[in-house]
Amino acid sequence: MTDVLPGASMPASAPDPRSASLALELIGLAKSFGKPVIRDLDLAVRPGELYALLGPNGAGKTTTLRMVVGLTHPDHGRIRIFGIDALARPAEAKAITAWLPDEPMLYDKLTPLEYLAFVAGLWRVPPDEGVAEAERLLRWLGLWDDRATRCEGFSRGMKQKVALAGALIHKPRLLVLDEPLTGLDAAMARSVKDMLQEQVRAGATVIVTTHILEVAERLADRIGIIDGGRLLAEGTLAELRQRAGSNELTLEDMFLDLTSHTGDATS
Amino acid sequence: MRLPEAGRPAPGSLLWLVLHEVRLTFRSGRRTGFAKWIRIILLLAFLAIGVMVALALRGIPLVPKPSWLVIGNATLLVLLTFMTTQSLMTALRTLFEKSDLDLLLSSPLPEGRVLAAKLLGIAASAAATYFLLVLPLATPVAVLGHPRLLALVPVLAALAMVGASLGLALAILLVRFIGARGARAVGQIVAAALGGGIYLVSQLAGNNRPGHGRIIGIANWLRDRGWGTTGWSAVPARGLFGEPLPLLVLLAASAGLFALTAWLFRTRFLAGYQQAGERSGRRAAATGRGPAFRGSLLGNVVAKEARLLVREPEILFMVLLRLIYLFPLVLLSFHRQMIAVPALAAVGVIAAGQLCGSVSWLTISAEDAPDLLAVAPVEPGQLKRMKLVAALVLVAPVAAIMPLVIAARGAPLAGLLAFAGTLTAGAGAGWIELMLGKPAKRSGFVRRRQGSLLTSLLGVFLSLLVAAVTAAAIFFL
C-alpha cells in the first residue's frame, strides 16, 4: 500500500471494504503546528448524511476539514472520500468535494457570473451544464440581478451566497462547510439550512462545523464533538443523550460537560 | 446567456489559468469611464511621441556604440527593477494577501499547474504592463527604419521572466521573515523610492545642475572600464540592439532562471503552504510591556495616533516621499551660498506645512472608528483639537531639523525666525484640516487630493505664503 503516510499509526493493510461504503473516513489522523492540534482522530461519515462537527474555539475543527479538502497535509493518518484515498489520489477526491470556508473564497474584481464560470472551469464542468447551473443557482440565491456586478461592493451575506453558488456548481457528492452561517441574517441562514437539507435529500453528504448548537440539534443526522484534537463523543442526538445518561439534557449541556474536561472550553 | 470566457482556451488549462491571473491583475484598479479615456489618450500620446522620435531618428543609424550600450544596459536595469517590484507586489497580492490558493488547490487541477500558472501570471502581468508602456513608443521607430528595435519584444519578455523570478523569491523571503504586511510595506517603499530616485537622478542629471557632471562621470567611468560594452555585461544591451546571438543568450538565460524558480517554487512553496495551518492576516502586537492605560485623554490620543502611524510604515513613507521634490532645492541652496539660509528656511517651512497637512489629515480626518469616538463621552471638538496636537507633536521632531540646521550654521536669529515660520505653517496646515477636513479612509491617503482639493490648495497657499515671508525676513535681517 502506498497510501499510508510514513509513521502512520494504522498498519498498512488491504482496503477496508467498509471504506467504499463511507462518504468520508478519517483514520488515525494527526497534525501538529508546533504543538499537536489533531491527535489520532478517527471519524466516519455515511453517504447521504448531514454530519455536524462541534467543538469550542481552537478544537481543531477547521484544521480537520482543511485536511479533508486537501489544503493541509496531515502528519499521520489516512483520509478516504467515497473510498478514494485523498492523499494518494487528491485530484479524484477533490473532483467530488466542495469546500466552503467561513471567509468566502471570492474575487472582489470578478462578477458572480465570471466567478462561477471560473470555478466551473476549475472543476471541468461542461460549459452548457455550467451555464444552466449558474443561472439556476444565481436565481435561487437571489443574485441574478447582480450577476454582472463586481463582488467588491457586496455585503457579507451576498459574498457568502456567491461562494455558496461556487461550491455547488459542480454538484459535489461531499460538501464540506466551515461555519456556513457566520454573518448571515435570519432569512439567509434559513435558506442555507434549507439548502443543506436539500443537498442531503438529493443524495449528497454534508459535513458542517458550527458553534450554533441549535443548528446541529435540528439539522444533523449525527453529531461529533471534538476538542483538543480528539473526538470526544459521536452519535445521533438520542445516542448522545443516552450516553450522558439523561434524556433531559440539551445538546448544550452535554457539549459543555464534555468539553469542560479538556480545558479551554468556551461557553 | 453565455458564460464569459467559456470556450477557448480550454477551462482548467495552463493558459486559461494564466489569463485568469492577468485579468485579475488588470482589474486591481478602479473601473471608471474617465480612467479608460485617460488611458486611451495616454496611449495615443505615446504613439505620437513614438512617431516623432521615429521621424527624427529616421536617417540616423542606430549602431551599438559603447555609450549607447551603457545607456541601453542602464535602461534595462531600471526596467528590471520596476518589473521586480511589480512582480513582488503581484506575488504578495496573489499568494499571500487576497490569496485564491485555497480555492485553486481545493479544485481537482494538478497542484503543479496551479503554481506554474501563478508564476507565469506574475511574469505576464509585468510584461504586459511594459509592453503597453514601451511598444507605442518603440514600434514607430522600428517600423520607420530601425527594424532591429523589434528585439524589444523578446528582451522585455526575458526581463519579465527575470523580474518575476526575483520578485517571487523576494516575496517569499520577505514574507518568511517579516510577514505579508511588512513585505507589502517594503514593496511600496521600494517602488516609491525608485520613483523618487529616478526623479532625483533626472533632476540632477540636467545641464547646469550640481549633479550633472557626476552622473555623466559615472557613465564614462563605466564605459571606460568596459562595463556594459564588452563581454558578458554587454549581452543585454546588445540583445536590445537586435544582435541575434546576445538575444538568444539573454532569452535562454532568463528562461533557465524562470524554470529553476518555477521548480523551486513548486516544491518548496507548496510544501510550506500545506504544512502550515490557516494563514491569517493577524499580527501579534509588539511583545514586552502591555499598553499603558493613561489617565490623561490627550496622552491617550497622542499615543494612539503615534501607534497607528508607526504601524503603517507605508503611509508614513508616502508622507515623507511627498517632500522629495524639495530635495533638489536643498542641494541648490548649498550650491549657491548666497541664498542658502533664506532658501533653507523656506524649504523647512514648506516641508513642515506639507507634513502637518498630511499627518493631521491622518489623525483628524482619516479616523477608522469615527462611530466609536462619536459615542464616547467626550466633546467632539475637543477630540479633534487633541488630534491636531497629536499631529503637531508627531511632526515636531522632523520639522525642527531645518531651524536647528540654520541655527547651527551660525545664524541663531535666523534659526529662530525659521522656527516661528515652521510652527506657523505647520499649525496653519493642521488648522485648515481641522476646519475643512472631511472624514475619509486611511487607505485613501494616496488619492487624498481628490476628496479635499480645497483643503490641499489652501494648505499649499498658506505654506508658500509663510515660506516667502520667512525667507524675506531672514534675507533682510
Side-chain angles (χ1 to χ4, degrees):
Chain A
M1 284 295 288
T2 54
D3 54 3
V4 182
L5 283 181
S9 59
M10 287 293 292
S13 62
D16 184 343
R18 231 166 38 107
S19 295
S21 61
L22 286 175
L24 174 71
E25 189 182 22
L26 305 181
I27 306 163
L29 210 60
K31 178 74 190 172
S32 76
F33 302 124
K35 62 181 176 110
V37 178
I38 301 297
R39 308 166 215 226
D40 202 20
L41 180 70
D42 292 335
L43 193 79
V45 178
R46 296 174 203 130
E49 185 171 67
L50 201 159
Y51 190 98
L53 200 56
L54 303 186
N57 298 334
K61 303 184 294 280
T62 302
T63 303
T64 306
L65 296 190
R66 284 179 66 86
M67 288 194 281
V68 169
V69 296
L71 291 175
T72 300
H73 260 304
D75 296 337
H76 302 291
R78 291 197 226 168
I79 302 168
R80 289 175 183 280
I81 297 175
F82 287 100
I84 300 167
D85 186 327
L87 297 174
R89 295 183 290 160
E92 286 172 53
K94 288 171 183 177
I96 53 171
T97 311
W99 164 236
L100 188 71
D102 60 340
E103 276 300 320
M105 302 187 287
L106 268 197
Y107 297 95
D108 281 352
K109 303 289 173 184
L110 293 189
T111 69
L113 205 51
E114 288 170 333
Y115 176 72
L116 291 185
F118 179 65
V119 177
L122 288 178
W123 264 266
R124 309 279 175 74
V125 178
D128 38 340
E129 241 175 73
V131 171
E133 188 63 8
E135 179 169 351
R136 189 186 73 77
L137 287 168
L138 289 177
R139 284 192 188 281
W140 169 61
L141 291 164
L143 285 169
W144 184 245
D145 292 337
D146 298 305
R147 63 188 180 279
T149 313
R150 289 189 190 178
C151 297
E152 50 199 347
F154 285 7
S155 69
R156 190 189 157 88
M158 280 170 86
K159 286 184 177 174
Q160 195 79 1
K161 284 188 200 180
V162 179
L164 181 62
L168 294 177
I169 196 158
H170 55 93
K171 299 187 176 135
R173 290 176 70 190
L174 177 66
L175 187 55
V176 185
L177 304 97
D178 192 14
E179 299 285 358
L181 302 179
T182 309
L184 300 185
D185 61 28
M188 186 57 206
R190 165 64 69 85
S191 59
V192 168
K193 287 185 254 177
D194 290 347
M195 178 279 294
L196 294 182
Q197 287 179 314
E198 196 181 300
Q199 290 293 315
V200 170
R201 269 198 299 277
T205 309
V206 175
I207 300 174
V208 57
T209 66
T210 180
H211 61 272
I212 306 173
L213 300 179
E214 173 260 338
V215 172
E217 217 163 7
R218 294 213 356 228
L219 295 184
D221 298 312
R222 282 198 309 141
I223 297 166
I225 297 180
I226 79 170
D227 194 15
R230 284 199 183 93
L231 192 65
L232 301 180
E234 191 192 38
T236 62
L237 194 57
E239 286 167 357
L240 288 176
R241 281 211 179 104
Q242 202 175 21
R243 210 187 119 150
S246 163
N247 280 334
E248 303 300 306
L249 284 178
T250 62
L251 183 60
E252 188 181 36
D253 296 328
M254 289 183 282
F255 176 79
L256 291 177
D257 182 47
L258 277 166
T259 55
S260 62
H261 298 307
T262 54
D264 55 350
T266 52
S267 51
Chain B
M1 186 200 79
R2 269 185 63 80
L3 279 181
E5 265 90 50
R8 63 213 147 93
S13 63
L14 183 66
L15 182 60
W16 182 80
L17 285 170
V18 173
L19 288 177
H20 170 72
E21 296 291 328
V22 173
R23 168 170 70 170
L24 288 176
T25 303
F26 282 96
R27 279 197 189 175
S28 53
R30 292 193 301 175
R31 180 173 60 173
T32 58
F34 184 63
K36 195 172 107 188
W37 280 107
I38 295 261
R39 255 177 242 145
I40 292 175
I41 290 168
L42 270 180
L43 206 66
L44 288 178
F46 268 46
L47 205 61
I49 296 172
V51 170
M52 284 196 290
V53 174
L55 291 177
L57 287 176
R58 206 159 177 191
I60 304 167
L62 283 183
V63 281
K65 286 188 297 185
S67 330
W68 281 96
L69 287 177
V70 171
I71 293 172
N73 259 344
T75 313
L76 290 183
L77 193 66
V78 170
L79 272 180
L80 177 65
T81 334
F82 275 119
M83 283 186 177
T84 306
T85 332
Q86 194 192 339
S87 300
L88 166 66
M89 298 309 268
T90 315
L92 286 174
R93 182 178 54 73
T94 163
L95 294 176
F96 298 101
E97 284 169 356
K98 302 200 87 179
S99 172
D100 55 349
L101 272 179
D102 273 5
L103 173 67
L104 295 172
L105 291 178
S106 69
S107 82
L109 297 184
E111 288 156 346
R113 189 188 298 166
V114 167
L115 291 185
K118 281 276 172 208
L119 183 53
L120 279 170
I122 292 169
S125 303
T129 308
Y130 290 91
F131 279 147
L132 275 178
L133 279 177
V134 173
L135 286 188
L137 284 174
T139 318
V141 184
V143 171
L144 298 176
H146 299 290
R148 285 191 152 200
L149 228 73
L150 283 179
L152 255 176
V153 175
V155 168
L156 278 182
L159 274 191
M161 285 195 276
V162 177
S165 305
L166 296 178
L168 179 71
L170 265 178
I172 291 175
L173 280 180
L174 282 174
V175 168
R176 181 156 189 181
F177 290 112
I178 58 177
R181 280 195 54 198
R184 183 171 184 77
V186 168
Q188 275 171 334
I189 288 169
V190 170
L194 268 178
I198 284 171
Y199 166 78
L200 277 187
V201 168
S202 72
Q203 287 298 301
L204 294 177
N207 281 328
N208 301 322
R209 295 289 169 80
H212 175 73
R214 190 160 301 162
I215 284 167
I216 299 296
I218 293 172
N220 287 340
W221 184 86
L222 286 173
R223 189 195 57 202
D224 296 342
R225 265 151 197 78
W227 182 87
T229 56
T230 53
W232 285 104
S233 63
V235 165
R238 285 189 185 278
L240 184 63
F241 283 96
E243 292 187 24
L245 190 63
L247 194 58
L248 272 179
V249 170
L250 189 64
L251 273 175
S254 6
L257 179 69
F258 191 71
L260 178 71
T261 314
W263 178 75
L264 279 176
F265 176 49
R266 199 197 142 174
T267 47
R268 295 295 173 84
F269 178 81
L270 191 63
Y273 188 83
Q274 289 172 331
Q275 279 311 310
E278 291 163 85
R279 294 153 311 115
S280 67
R282 276 174 260 151
R283 192 157 127 181
T287 49
R289 290 177 301 124
F293 283 73
R294 284 165 224 274
S296 127
L297 183 61
L298 180 63
N300 222 351
V301 170
V302 173
K304 172 242 180 194
E305 296 299 343
R307 218 169 255 149
L308 288 183
L309 201 62
V310 169
R311 292 205 183 147
E312 278 173 312
E314 59 269 37
I315 288 189
L316 193 62
F317 191 75
M318 295 285 183
V319 169
L320 292 177
L321 199 74
R322 290 211 164 150
L323 303 179
I324 204 161
Y325 67 92
L326 291 171
F327 199 69
L329 214 60
V330 175
L331 285 182
L332 205 66
S333 66
F334 277 109
H335 201 55
R336 306 203 174 139
Q337 282 297 324
M338 225 262 291
I339 57 158
V341 172
L344 280 181
V347 167
V349 168
I350 296 173
Q354 284 276 299
L355 268 180
C356 267
S358 300
V359 175
S360 57
W361 179 84
L362 284 169
T363 59
I364 298 170
S365 300
E367 168 62 50
D368 277 342
D371 292 349
L372 174 69
L373 302 188
V375 299
V378 185
E379 198 251 312
Q382 189 193 0
L383 258 182
K384 275 195 170 182
R385 285 190 296 278
M386 286 180 171
K387 285 170 154 241
L388 174 58
V389 174
L392 293 178
V393 168
L394 291 172
V395 169
V398 182
I401 293 175
M402 207 58 103
L404 285 177
V405 165
I406 293 171
R409 289 182 75 177
L413 199 58
L416 207 63
L417 277 175
F419 180 75
T422 306
L423 191 65
T424 314
W431 186 77
I432 291 173
E433 192 61 48
L434 188 71
M435 290 293 127
L436 299 173
K438 293 194 189 76
K441 281 195 153 179
R442 284 181 101 80
S443 50
F445 179 74
V446 182
R447 291 194 301 270
R448 169 190 161 212
R449 277 162 207 284
Q450 285 180 356
S452 50
L453 189 66
L454 181 66
T455 320
S456 307
L457 283 180
L458 266 179
V460 169
F461 177 73
L462 181 83
S463 295
L464 288 177
L465 188 72
V466 178
V469 170
T470 312
I474 294 175
F475 186 76
F476 291 115
L477 195 69

